[in-house]
Every structure is written in structure tokens, then in C-alpha cells.
Coordinates of all heavy atoms in Angstrom, one line a residue:
M1 N 103.8 37.8 94.3 CA 104.0 36.3 94.4 C 104.0 35.9 96.0 O 104.8 36.4 96.7 CB 105.3 35.9 93.7 CG 105.5 34.4 93.9 SD 107.1 34.0 92.9 CE 106.5 33.6 91.2
T2 N 103.2 35.0 96.4 CA 103.2 34.5 97.8 C 104.4 33.6 98.1 O 105.0 33.1 97.1 CB 101.9 33.9 98.2 OG1 101.8 32.7 97.4 CG2 100.7 34.7 97.9
A3 N 104.6 33.5 99.3 CA 105.7 32.5 99.7 C 105.3 31.1 99.2 O 106.3 30.3 98.8 CB 105.9 32.5 101.2
E4 N 104.0 30.7 99.2 CA 103.7 29.3 98.7 C 103.9 29.2 97.2 O 104.5 28.2 96.7 CB 102.3 29.1 99.1 CG 101.9 28.9 100.5 CD 101.9 30.1 101.3 OE1 101.9 31.3 100.8 OE2 102.0 30.0 102.6
V5 N 103.6 30.3 96.5 CA 103.8 30.2 95.1 C 105.4 30.3 94.6 O 105.8 29.5 93.7 CB 103.0 31.5 94.4 CG1 103.4 31.6 92.9 CG2 101.5 31.3 94.5
F6 N 106.0 31.1 95.5 CA 107.5 31.0 95.4 C 108.1 29.7 95.5 O 108.9 29.2 94.7 CB 108.2 32.2 96.1 CG 109.6 32.1 96.1 CD1 110.3 32.5 94.9 CD2 110.3 31.8 97.1 CE1 111.6 32.6 94.8 CE2 111.9 31.8 97.0 CZ 112.4 32.1 95.8
D7 N 107.7 29.1 96.6 CA 108.2 27.7 96.8 C 107.8 26.7 95.7 O 108.6 26.0 95.3 CB 107.6 27.2 98.1 CG 108.1 25.9 98.6 OD1 109.4 25.9 98.8 OD2 107.6 24.9 98.7
A8 N 106.7 26.7 95.4 CA 106.1 26.0 94.3 C 107.0 26.2 92.9 O 107.3 25.2 92.2 CB 104.6 26.0 94.0
T9 N 107.1 27.4 92.7 CA 108.0 27.9 91.4 C 109.3 27.4 91.5 O 109.9 26.9 90.6 CB 107.9 29.3 91.3 OG1 106.4 29.8 91.2 CG2 108.5 29.8 89.9
C10 N 109.9 27.4 92.7 CA 111.3 26.8 92.8 C 111.3 25.4 92.7 O 112.3 24.8 92.0 CB 111.8 27.3 94.3 SG 112.3 29.0 94.4
R11 N 110.3 24.8 93.2 CA 110.4 23.4 93.0 C 110.2 22.8 91.7 O 110.8 21.9 91.1 CB 109.2 22.7 94.0 CG 109.5 22.8 95.4 CD 108.3 22.2 96.2 NE 108.5 22.6 97.6 CZ 109.1 21.7 98.5 NH1 109.6 20.7 98.0 NH2 109.2 22.1 99.8
E12 N 109.4 23.5 90.8 CA 109.2 23.3 89.4 C 110.6 23.5 88.7 O 110.9 22.7 87.9 CB 108.1 24.1 88.9 CG 107.8 24.1 87.5 CD 107.0 25.2 86.8 OE1 106.2 25.8 87.6 OE2 107.1 25.4 85.6
F13 N 111.3 24.6 89.0 CA 112.5 25.0 88.3 C 113.4 23.9 88.6 O 114.2 23.5 87.8 CB 112.9 26.4 88.9 CG 114.2 26.8 88.3 CD1 114.6 26.9 87.0 CD2 115.3 27.1 89.3 CE1 115.7 27.4 86.4 CE2 116.6 27.5 88.7 CZ 116.8 27.6 87.3
E14 N 113.7 23.6 90.0 CA 114.5 22.5 90.3 C 114.3 21.2 89.8 O 115.1 20.4 89.4 CB 114.5 22.4 91.9 CG 115.1 23.6 92.7 CD 114.6 23.7 94.2 OE1 114.0 22.7 94.7 OE2 114.8 24.9 94.7
A15 N 113.0 20.8 89.7 CA 112.7 19.5 89.1 C 113.1 19.5 87.6 O 113.5 18.4 87.2 CB 111.1 19.2 89.4
T16 N 112.8 20.5 87.0 CA 113.0 20.6 85.5 C 114.6 20.5 85.1 O 115.0 19.9 84.3 CB 112.5 21.8 85.0 OG1 111.1 21.9 85.2 CG2 112.7 21.8 83.3
Y17 N 115.4 21.2 86.1 CA 116.8 21.2 85.8 C 117.7 20.5 86.9 O 118.7 21.1 87.2 CB 117.2 22.7 85.5 CG 116.4 23.3 84.5 CD1 115.4 24.2 84.8 CD2 116.8 23.1 83.2 CE1 114.6 24.8 83.9 CE2 116.0 23.6 82.2 CZ 114.9 24.5 82.4 OH 114.2 25.1 81.4
V18 N 117.1 19.5 87.4 CA 117.8 18.8 88.5 C 119.1 18.4 88.4 O 120.0 18.4 89.2 CB 116.8 17.6 89.1 CG1 116.8 16.6 88.1 CG2 117.4 17.2 90.4
D19 N 119.5 17.9 87.0 CA 120.8 17.5 86.9 C 121.8 18.7 86.5 O 122.9 18.5 86.3 CB 120.7 16.6 85.5 CG 120.2 17.4 84.3 OD1 119.5 18.3 84.5 OD2 120.6 17.1 83.1
R20 N 121.3 19.9 86.5 CA 122.2 21.0 86.4 C 122.4 21.9 87.5 O 123.3 22.8 87.6 CB 121.7 21.7 85.1 CG 121.6 21.1 83.8 CD 120.9 21.9 83.0 NE 120.8 21.1 81.7 CZ 120.3 21.7 80.5 NH1 120.1 23.0 80.4 NH2 120.1 20.9 79.3
L21 N 121.4 21.8 88.4 CA 121.5 22.9 89.6 C 121.9 22.2 90.9 O 121.5 21.2 91.2 CB 120.1 23.3 89.8 CG 119.4 24.1 88.7 CD1 118.0 24.4 88.9 CD2 120.2 25.5 88.3
T22 N 122.6 23.2 91.7 CA 122.7 22.7 93.1 C 122.2 23.9 93.9 O 122.6 25.1 93.7 CB 124.3 22.5 93.4 OG1 124.7 21.5 92.5 CG2 124.4 22.3 95.0
L23 N 121.2 23.7 95.0 CA 120.9 24.7 95.7 C 121.9 25.0 96.8 O 122.4 24.1 97.4 CB 119.6 24.3 96.5 CG 118.9 25.1 97.4 CD1 118.3 26.4 96.8 CD2 117.8 24.6 98.3
T24 N 122.3 26.3 96.8 CA 123.4 26.8 97.6 C 122.9 27.6 98.8 O 123.5 27.7 99.8 CB 124.5 27.4 97.0 OG1 124.0 28.5 96.1 CG2 125.1 26.6 95.9
S25 N 121.8 28.3 98.7 CA 121.2 29.1 99.8 C 119.7 29.2 99.7 O 119.2 29.5 98.5 CB 121.9 30.4 99.8 OG 121.5 31.3 100.8
G26 N 119.0 29.0 100.9 CA 117.6 29.3 100.8 C 117.4 30.3 101.8 O 117.7 31.4 101.9
I27 N 116.5 30.0 103.0 CA 116.2 30.9 104.0 C 117.5 31.0 104.9 O 118.2 30.0 105.1 CB 115.0 30.5 104.8 CG1 114.5 31.6 105.7 CG2 115.3 29.2 105.6 CD1 113.1 31.4 106.3
R28 N 117.7 32.2 105.4 CA 118.9 32.5 106.2 C 118.4 33.2 107.5 O 117.5 34.1 107.5 CB 119.7 33.5 105.6 CG 120.5 33.0 104.2 CD 121.2 34.3 103.6 NE 121.7 33.9 102.3 CZ 122.1 34.8 101.4 NH1 122.1 36.1 101.6 NH2 122.6 34.4 100.2
S29 N 119.3 32.9 108.6 CA 119.1 33.7 109.7 C 119.7 35.1 109.6 O 120.5 35.3 108.7 CB 119.7 33.0 111.0 OG 121.1 32.8 110.7
T30 N 119.4 36.0 110.5 CA 120.0 37.3 110.4 C 121.6 37.1 110.5 O 122.3 37.8 109.7 CB 119.5 38.4 111.5 OG1 118.1 38.3 111.4 CG2 120.0 39.6 111.4
D31 N 122.1 36.5 111.4 CA 123.4 36.2 111.7 C 124.2 35.6 110.4 O 125.2 36.0 109.9 CB 123.9 35.2 112.8 CG 123.4 36.0 114.1 OD1 123.2 37.2 114.1 OD2 123.4 35.2 115.1
H32 N 123.4 34.5 109.8 CA 124.0 33.9 108.6 C 124.0 34.9 107.5 O 124.9 34.9 106.6 CB 123.3 32.8 108.3 CG 123.7 32.0 107.0 ND1 124.9 31.4 106.8 CD2 123.0 31.8 105.8 CE1 125.0 30.9 105.7 NE2 124.0 31.1 104.9
N33 N 123.0 35.8 107.3 CA 122.9 36.7 106.2 C 124.0 37.7 106.3 O 124.7 38.0 105.3 CB 121.5 37.3 106.2 CG 121.3 38.2 105.0 OD1 121.3 37.7 103.8 ND2 121.0 39.5 105.2
Q34 N 124.2 38.1 107.5 CA 125.4 39.1 107.7 C 126.7 38.4 107.4 O 127.6 39.0 106.7 CB 125.4 39.6 109.1 CG 124.2 40.7 109.5 CD 124.3 41.1 110.8 OE1 124.9 40.5 111.7 NE2 123.5 42.3 111.1
A35 N 126.9 37.2 107.8 CA 128.1 36.4 107.7 C 128.5 36.4 106.2 O 129.6 36.3 105.8 CB 128.1 35.1 108.3
V36 N 127.5 36.2 105.3 CA 127.7 35.9 103.8 C 127.6 37.3 103.0 O 127.6 37.2 102.0 CB 126.8 34.8 103.3 CG1 126.9 33.5 103.9 CG2 125.3 35.3 103.4
G37 N 127.4 38.4 103.8 CA 127.5 39.6 103.2 C 126.0 40.1 102.4 O 126.1 40.9 101.7
G38 N 125.0 39.5 103.0 CA 123.7 39.7 102.5 C 123.3 41.1 103.0 O 123.6 41.5 104.0
V39 N 122.4 41.7 102.1 CA 121.9 43.0 102.5 C 120.8 42.9 103.4 O 120.3 41.9 103.6 CB 121.3 43.8 101.3 CG1 122.5 44.2 100.3 CG2 120.1 43.1 100.6
A40 N 120.6 43.9 104.5 CA 119.7 43.8 105.4 C 118.3 43.5 105.0 O 117.5 43.1 105.8 CB 119.8 45.2 106.3
T41 N 117.9 43.8 103.8 CA 116.6 43.8 103.3 C 116.6 42.4 102.5 O 115.6 42.2 101.7 CB 116.2 44.9 102.5 OG1 117.2 45.2 101.4 CG2 116.0 46.1 103.2
S42 N 117.4 41.6 102.5 CA 117.6 40.3 101.7 C 116.3 39.5 101.9 O 115.7 39.3 103.0 CB 118.7 39.5 102.2 OG 118.7 38.3 101.5
K43 N 115.8 39.3 100.6 CA 114.6 38.2 100.7 C 114.8 36.9 101.1 O 113.9 36.1 101.5 CB 113.9 38.1 99.4 CG 113.5 39.4 98.7 CD 112.5 40.2 99.5 CE 112.0 41.4 98.8 NZ 111.3 42.4 99.8
H44 N 116.1 36.6 101.4 CA 116.5 35.3 101.9 C 116.1 35.2 103.4 O 115.8 34.1 103.9 CB 118.1 35.1 102.0 CG 118.7 34.7 100.6 ND1 118.4 33.4 100.1 CD2 119.2 35.4 99.8 CE1 119.0 33.4 98.8 NE2 119.6 34.6 98.6
L45 N 115.8 36.4 104.1 CA 115.5 36.3 105.5 C 114.1 36.0 105.7 O 113.7 35.6 106.8 CB 115.7 37.8 106.1 CG 117.2 38.4 106.2 CD1 117.2 39.8 106.4 CD2 117.9 37.4 107.2
I46 N 113.2 36.1 104.7 CA 111.8 35.8 104.7 C 111.5 34.6 103.9 O 110.3 34.4 103.6 CB 110.9 37.0 104.5 CG1 111.2 37.5 103.1 CG2 111.1 38.1 105.5 CD1 110.1 38.6 102.6
G47 N 112.6 33.8 103.5 CA 112.2 32.6 102.6 C 111.7 32.9 101.3 O 111.1 32.1 100.7
M48 N 112.0 34.2 100.8 CA 111.5 34.5 99.4 C 112.7 34.7 98.4 O 112.5 35.3 97.5 CB 110.7 35.8 99.5 CG 109.4 35.6 100.2 SD 108.2 34.7 99.1 CE 107.6 36.1 98.1
A49 N 113.7 34.0 98.6 CA 114.8 33.9 97.7 C 115.7 32.6 97.9 O 115.8 32.0 99.0 CB 115.9 35.1 98.0
R50 N 116.1 32.2 96.8 CA 117.2 30.9 96.7 C 118.2 31.3 95.7 O 118.1 32.0 94.8 CB 116.4 29.7 96.2 CG 115.3 29.4 97.4 CD 114.7 28.0 97.0 NE 113.5 27.8 97.8 CZ 112.7 26.6 97.7 NH1 113.1 25.7 96.9 NH2 111.7 26.5 98.5
D51 N 119.4 30.6 96.1 CA 120.6 30.7 95.2 C 120.8 29.3 94.7 O 120.7 28.2 95.4 CB 121.8 31.2 95.9 CG 121.7 32.6 96.5 OD1 120.8 33.3 95.9 OD2 122.3 33.0 97.5
Y52 N 121.3 29.1 93.5 CA 121.8 27.9 92.9 C 123.1 28.1 92.2 O 123.4 29.3 91.8 CB 120.7 27.5 91.8 CG 119.2 27.4 92.3 CD1 118.4 28.4 92.1 CD2 118.9 26.1 92.8 CE1 117.1 28.4 92.7 CE2 117.6 26.0 93.3 CZ 116.7 27.0 93.2 OH 115.4 27.0 93.4
V53 N 123.9 27.1 92.1 CA 124.9 27.1 91.2 C 124.6 26.1 90.0 O 124.1 25.0 90.2 CB 126.3 26.5 92.0 CG1 127.3 26.4 90.9 CG2 126.7 27.7 92.9
V54 N 124.9 26.6 88.8 CA 124.8 25.8 87.6 C 126.0 25.1 87.4 O 127.1 25.8 87.2 CB 124.3 26.8 86.4 CG1 124.4 25.8 85.1 CG2 123.0 27.4 86.7
E55 N 126.0 23.9 87.5 CA 127.2 23.1 87.3 C 127.8 23.2 85.9 O 127.2 23.0 84.9 CB 127.0 21.7 87.8 CG 126.4 21.5 89.1 CD 127.5 21.8 90.2 OE1 128.7 21.9 90.0 OE2 127.1 21.8 91.4
S56 N 129.2 23.2 85.9 CA 129.8 23.2 84.5 C 130.1 21.7 84.1 O 131.2 21.2 83.9 CB 131.2 23.9 84.6 OG 131.1 25.2 84.8
K57 N 129.0 21.0 84.1 CA 129.0 19.6 83.6 C 128.9 19.5 82.1 O 128.6 20.6 81.4 CB 127.9 18.8 84.2 CG 128.0 18.8 85.7 CD 126.8 18.0 86.2 CE 126.8 17.9 87.8 NZ 125.6 17.2 88.3
E58 N 129.2 18.4 81.5 CA 129.0 18.1 80.2 C 127.5 18.5 79.7 O 127.4 19.0 78.6 CB 129.3 16.6 79.8 CG 129.5 16.4 78.3 CD 130.8 17.0 77.8 OE1 131.7 17.3 78.6 OE2 130.7 17.5 76.7
S59 N 126.5 18.3 80.7 CA 125.2 18.6 80.3 C 124.7 20.1 80.6 O 123.7 20.4 80.4 CB 124.3 17.6 81.1 OG 124.5 17.9 82.4
G60 N 125.8 20.8 81.1 CA 125.4 22.1 81.6 C 125.2 23.1 80.4 O 125.5 22.8 79.3
W61 N 124.7 24.2 80.8 CA 124.6 25.3 79.8 C 125.8 25.8 79.2 O 126.8 26.1 80.1 CB 123.7 26.5 80.5 CG 122.2 26.3 80.5 CD1 121.4 26.3 79.5 CD2 121.6 26.1 81.6 NE1 120.2 26.0 80.0 CE2 120.2 26.0 81.3 CE3 121.8 26.0 83.1 CZ2 119.2 25.7 82.2 CZ3 120.7 25.8 84.0 CH2 119.4 25.7 83.5
T62 N 125.8 26.1 78.1 CA 127.0 26.7 77.4 C 126.9 28.3 77.4 O 125.8 28.7 77.9 CB 127.1 26.3 75.9 OG1 126.0 26.8 75.2 CG2 127.3 24.8 75.8
V63 N 128.0 28.9 77.3 CA 127.9 30.4 77.2 C 126.7 30.8 76.2 O 126.0 31.7 76.5 CB 129.1 31.0 76.7 CG1 129.1 32.5 76.5 CG2 130.3 30.7 77.8
E64 N 126.5 30.1 75.0 CA 125.6 30.5 74.1 C 124.2 30.2 74.5 O 123.3 30.8 74.2 CB 125.9 29.6 72.9 CG 127.1 30.0 72.1 CD 128.3 29.4 72.8 OE1 128.3 28.5 73.5 OE2 129.4 30.0 72.4
A65 N 124.0 29.4 75.6 CA 122.7 29.0 76.1 C 122.3 30.0 77.2 O 121.0 29.8 77.8 CB 122.7 27.6 76.5
L66 N 123.1 30.9 77.6 CA 122.8 31.8 78.8 C 121.6 32.6 78.5 O 120.8 32.9 79.4 CB 124.0 32.6 79.1 CG 125.0 32.0 80.0 CD1 126.2 32.9 80.3 CD2 124.3 31.5 81.3
E67 N 121.4 33.1 77.2 CA 120.2 33.9 76.9 C 119.0 33.1 77.2 O 118.0 33.6 77.6 CB 120.4 34.4 75.4 CG 119.3 35.5 75.2 CD 119.6 36.0 73.8 OE1 120.8 36.1 73.3 OE2 118.6 36.5 73.1
G68 N 119.0 31.9 76.8 CA 117.8 31.0 77.1 C 117.6 30.8 78.7 O 116.4 30.8 79.1
L69 N 118.6 30.7 79.4 CA 118.4 30.6 80.8 C 117.8 31.9 81.3 O 116.8 31.9 82.3 CB 119.8 30.3 81.5 CG 119.9 30.4 83.0 CD1 118.9 29.3 83.6 CD2 121.3 30.2 83.5
E70 N 118.2 33.1 80.9 CA 117.6 34.3 81.3 C 116.1 34.3 81.0 O 115.5 34.8 81.7 CB 118.4 35.4 80.7 CG 119.8 35.6 81.3 CD 120.5 36.9 80.8 OE1 119.8 37.8 80.3 OE2 121.8 37.0 81.3
T71 N 115.8 33.8 79.8 CA 114.4 33.8 79.5 C 113.5 32.9 80.3 O 112.5 33.3 80.8 CB 114.3 33.3 78.0 OG1 115.0 34.2 77.1 CG2 112.8 33.3 77.5
I72 N 114.1 31.8 80.7 CA 113.5 30.8 81.7 C 113.2 31.5 83.0 O 112.2 31.4 83.5 CB 114.3 29.6 81.8 CG1 114.3 28.7 80.4 CG2 113.8 28.7 82.9 CD1 115.4 27.6 80.4
L73 N 114.3 32.1 83.4 CA 114.2 32.8 84.8 C 113.2 34.0 84.7 O 112.4 34.2 85.7 CB 115.5 33.2 85.3 CG 116.5 32.0 85.5 CD1 118.0 32.6 85.7 CD2 116.2 31.3 86.8
S74 N 113.2 34.6 83.7 CA 112.3 35.8 83.7 C 110.9 35.5 83.6 O 109.8 36.1 84.0 CB 112.7 36.9 82.6 OG 112.7 36.3 81.3
D75 N 110.6 34.3 82.9 CA 109.2 33.7 82.7 C 108.7 33.3 84.3 O 107.5 33.2 84.5 CB 109.2 32.5 81.9 CG 109.4 33.1 80.4 OD1 109.1 34.4 80.2 OD2 109.5 32.2 79.4
L76 N 109.6 32.7 85.1 CA 109.2 32.1 86.2 C 109.2 33.0 87.5 O 108.4 32.9 88.4 CB 110.2 31.0 86.6 CG 110.1 29.7 85.8 CD1 111.3 28.7 86.1 CD2 108.8 29.0 85.9
F77 N 110.2 34.0 87.6 CA 110.4 34.7 88.8 C 110.3 36.2 88.6 O 110.6 36.8 87.6 CB 111.8 34.5 89.4 CG 111.9 33.0 89.8 CD1 112.7 32.2 88.9 CD2 111.4 32.5 91.0 CE1 112.8 30.8 89.3 CE2 111.6 31.2 91.3 CZ 112.3 30.5 90.5
P78 N 109.9 37.0 89.6 CA 109.7 38.4 89.3 C 111.0 39.1 89.3 O 111.1 40.2 88.5 CB 109.1 38.9 90.8 CG 108.4 37.7 91.3 CD 109.1 36.5 90.8
S79 N 112.0 38.5 89.9 CA 113.3 39.0 89.6 C 114.4 38.1 89.9 O 114.2 37.2 90.7 CB 113.7 40.3 90.5 OG 113.4 40.1 91.9
F80 N 115.6 38.2 89.4 CA 116.7 37.3 89.4 C 118.0 38.0 89.1 O 118.0 39.1 88.5 CB 116.5 36.0 88.5 CG 116.6 36.3 87.1 CD1 117.8 36.2 86.3 CD2 115.5 36.8 86.4 CE1 117.9 36.6 85.0 CE2 115.5 37.1 85.1 CZ 116.7 37.0 84.3
K81 N 119.1 37.3 89.5 CA 120.4 37.9 89.0 C 121.3 36.7 88.8 O 121.1 35.7 89.4 CB 121.0 38.7 90.2 CG 120.5 40.1 90.3 CD 121.2 40.9 91.4 CE 120.6 42.3 91.6 NZ 121.2 43.0 92.7
L82 N 122.2 36.9 87.8 CA 123.2 35.9 87.5 C 124.5 36.4 87.7 O 124.9 37.6 87.6 CB 123.1 35.6 85.9 CG 121.8 35.0 85.4 CD1 122.0 34.7 83.9 CD2 121.5 33.7 86.1
Y83 N 125.3 35.5 88.3 CA 126.8 35.9 88.7 C 127.7 34.9 88.0 O 127.5 33.7 88.3 CB 127.0 35.9 90.2 CG 126.1 36.8 91.0 CD1 124.8 36.2 91.5 CD2 126.4 38.1 91.2 CE1 124.0 37.0 92.2 CE2 125.6 38.9 92.0 CZ 124.4 38.4 92.5 OH 123.5 39.2 93.2
H84 N 128.6 35.3 87.2 CA 129.5 34.5 86.6 C 130.7 34.3 87.6 O 131.3 35.1 87.9 CB 130.0 35.2 85.3 CG 129.0 35.3 84.4 ND1 128.8 34.5 83.2 CD2 127.8 36.1 84.3 CE1 127.6 34.9 82.5 NE2 127.1 36.0 83.0
L85 N 130.8 32.9 87.8 CA 131.9 32.5 88.7 C 133.2 32.1 88.1 O 134.2 31.9 88.7 CB 131.3 31.4 89.7 CG 130.1 31.8 90.5 CD1 129.9 30.5 91.4 CD2 130.3 32.9 91.3
G86 N 133.0 31.9 86.8 CA 134.3 31.6 86.0 C 133.8 30.7 84.8 O 132.6 30.4 84.7
A87 N 134.6 30.4 84.1 CA 134.3 29.5 82.8 C 135.6 28.6 82.5 O 136.7 29.0 82.7 CB 134.0 30.4 81.6
S88 N 135.1 27.5 81.9 CA 136.1 26.6 81.5 C 135.7 25.9 80.1 O 134.6 25.4 79.9 CB 136.2 25.4 82.5 OG 137.0 24.3 81.9
V89 N 136.5 26.3 79.1 CA 136.2 25.7 77.7 C 134.8 26.1 77.3 O 134.1 25.1 77.0 CB 136.6 24.3 77.6 CG1 136.7 23.8 76.2 CG2 137.7 23.9 78.4
G90 N 134.4 27.3 77.5 CA 133.0 27.7 77.0 C 132.0 27.3 77.9 O 130.8 27.5 77.6
R91 N 132.2 26.5 79.0 CA 131.2 26.2 79.9 C 131.3 27.0 81.2 O 132.1 26.5 82.1 CB 131.2 24.7 80.1 CG 130.9 23.9 78.9 CD 130.8 22.4 79.1 NE 130.6 21.8 77.9 CZ 129.4 21.5 77.3 NH1 128.4 22.1 77.9 NH2 129.3 21.0 76.1
P92 N 130.4 27.9 81.4 CA 130.5 28.8 82.6 C 129.9 28.1 83.9 O 129.1 27.2 83.8 CB 129.7 29.9 82.3 CG 128.5 29.3 81.4 CD 129.3 28.3 80.5
T93 N 130.5 28.6 85.0 CA 129.9 28.2 86.3 C 129.2 29.5 86.7 O 129.8 30.6 86.8 CB 131.0 27.8 87.3 OG1 131.6 26.7 86.8 CG2 130.3 27.6 88.7
I94 N 128.0 29.4 87.0 CA 127.0 30.4 87.2 C 126.2 30.3 88.5 O 125.7 29.2 88.9 CB 126.1 30.8 86.0 CG1 126.8 30.9 84.8 CG2 125.1 31.9 86.3 CD1 125.9 30.5 83.6
Q95 N 126.2 31.4 89.4 CA 125.4 31.4 90.5 C 124.1 32.2 90.2 O 124.1 33.2 89.5 CB 126.1 32.1 91.7 CG 125.2 32.1 92.9 CD 125.7 32.7 94.1 OE1 127.0 32.6 94.4 NE2 125.0 33.4 94.8
I96 N 123.0 31.6 90.4 CA 121.7 32.2 90.2 C 121.1 32.6 91.6 O 121.0 31.8 92.5 CB 120.8 31.3 89.5 CG1 121.3 30.7 88.1 CG2 119.3 32.0 89.2 CD1 120.6 29.6 87.6
H97 N 120.6 33.8 91.6 CA 119.8 34.3 92.8 C 118.3 34.6 92.2 O 118.3 35.3 91.2 CB 120.4 35.6 93.5 CG 119.4 36.3 94.3 ND1 119.3 36.1 95.6 CD2 118.3 37.1 94.2 CE1 118.4 36.7 96.2 NE2 117.8 37.6 95.3
V98 N 117.4 34.0 92.7 CA 115.9 34.2 92.3 C 115.2 34.6 93.6 O 115.5 34.2 94.7 CB 115.3 33.0 91.7 CG1 116.0 32.5 90.5 CG2 115.2 31.8 92.6
Q99 N 114.2 35.5 93.3 CA 113.4 36.0 94.5 C 112.0 36.2 94.1 O 111.7 36.3 92.9 CB 113.9 37.1 95.2 CG 114.0 38.4 94.5 CD 114.6 39.6 95.2 OE1 115.6 39.3 95.8 NE2 114.0 40.7 95.2
G100 N 111.0 36.0 95.0 CA 109.6 36.1 94.8 C 109.1 37.4 94.8 O 107.8 37.6 94.9
A101 N 109.9 38.4 94.8 CA 109.5 39.8 94.8 C 110.4 40.7 94.0 O 111.6 40.4 93.8 CB 109.3 40.5 96.2
P102 N 109.8 41.8 93.5 CA 110.8 42.7 92.7 C 111.7 43.4 93.7 O 111.6 43.4 94.9 CB 109.8 43.8 92.1 CG 108.4 43.3 92.4 CD 108.5 42.3 93.4
Y103 N 112.8 43.8 93.1 CA 113.9 44.5 93.9 C 113.3 45.8 94.2 O 112.7 46.5 93.6 CB 115.3 44.6 93.0 CG 115.9 43.4 92.9 CD1 116.0 42.6 92.0 CD2 116.7 43.0 94.2 CE1 116.8 41.4 91.9 CE2 117.5 41.8 94.1 CZ 117.5 41.1 92.9 OH 118.2 39.9 93.0
A104 N 113.6 46.2 95.5 CA 113.3 47.7 96.0 C 114.0 48.6 95.2 O 115.1 48.5 94.8 CB 113.5 47.7 97.4
P105 N 113.3 49.8 94.9 CA 113.9 50.8 94.2 C 115.2 51.3 94.7 O 115.2 51.3 96.1 CB 112.8 52.0 94.0 CG 111.9 51.6 95.0 CD 112.0 50.2 95.3
Ligands
ZN1 ZN1 120.7 35.2 96.9

């Protein structure tokens, strides 16, 4: 996936789920990446990764819908990770990391 395709894919994802997502991290400088605990090989350094928080709004994904979210992400991106930040009455707050390249072995 090229940087252009990654950017276009992110824009498509953001436009589709605009009422549920907040972009929290895109491209990072080396200093910023170290400050937030990013690995030295982070794709954020080359603009090939973004992070989002899925808001725990009334319209948000429920715990039961998480499998659907994983399917959406796996269809769009070469790799992604989900981090559970907490949950309230069955509505989780989730951070999503997506990147335009597979994880290194
Ligand atoms: Zn990330």
C-alpha cells in the first residue's frame, strides 16, 4: 500500500464513521514519537499510521459490534490493532491503530 493509497483509505474510513471517530495521532516527529512511547520503527514516523478513538456515544459501537469493526478494519488496512481503554454500560472506548504496511516480523 502506497502512502497515497493509505491516505485515501483513511479518508474513506473517516468519512464513513465520522460521527464515531476522533483522530488522535497521525504523522509524528522522532521527538514526539519517543515522548508517546512509540517504537523506533513506528509507521507514524513516515505518515503510514493513524490512531483513532471510538467514542462511547449513544451511536457508538457496542461490545457486540466489535467483531464487525475488526472485519471492517481488516478489509481496509494491511494491519491494525485495537486497544480497549475502558467500558461503560456495554459501550467500550477503544483506540484503533491502523497502518499501511504489515507489522515487521
Ligand atoms: Zn498508532
Side-chain angles (χ1 to χ4, degrees):
M1 181 177 269
T2 64
E4 288 77 16
V5 171
F6 177 69
D7 185 62
T9 303
C10 287
R11 288 173 190 275
E12 176 189 339
F13 178 61
E14 290 161 13
T16 304
Y17 301 103
V18 64
D19 59 333
R20 302 177 182 184
L21 295 174
T22 302
L23 178 66
T24 56
S25 187
I27 193 164
R28 296 175 186 161
S29 67
T30 303
D31 286 349
H32 177 63
N33 189 57
Q34 287 178 342
V36 298
V39 297
T41 56
S42 172
K43 298 299 183 206
H44 284 285
L45 295 169
I46 58 169
M48 287 286 276
R50 293 188 192 181
D51 296 335
Y52 304 93
V53 167
V54 179
E55 302 288 351
S56 294
K57 294 177 182 172
E58 196 65 30
S59 61
W61 276 289
T62 62
V63 171
E64 292 74 21
L66 276 178
E67 193 172 325
L69 175 58
E70 291 190 7
T71 301
I72 290 164
L73 293 170
S74 64
D75 285 347
L76 288 173
F77 298 101
S79 51
F80 66 92
K81 284 184 179 173
L82 298 178
Y83 303 91
H84 295 252
L85 303 181
S88 168
V89 199
R91 294 189 181 278
T93 298
I94 301 158
Q95 181 179 319
I96 304 170
H97 165 96
V98 298
Q99 64 180 47
Y103 284 103

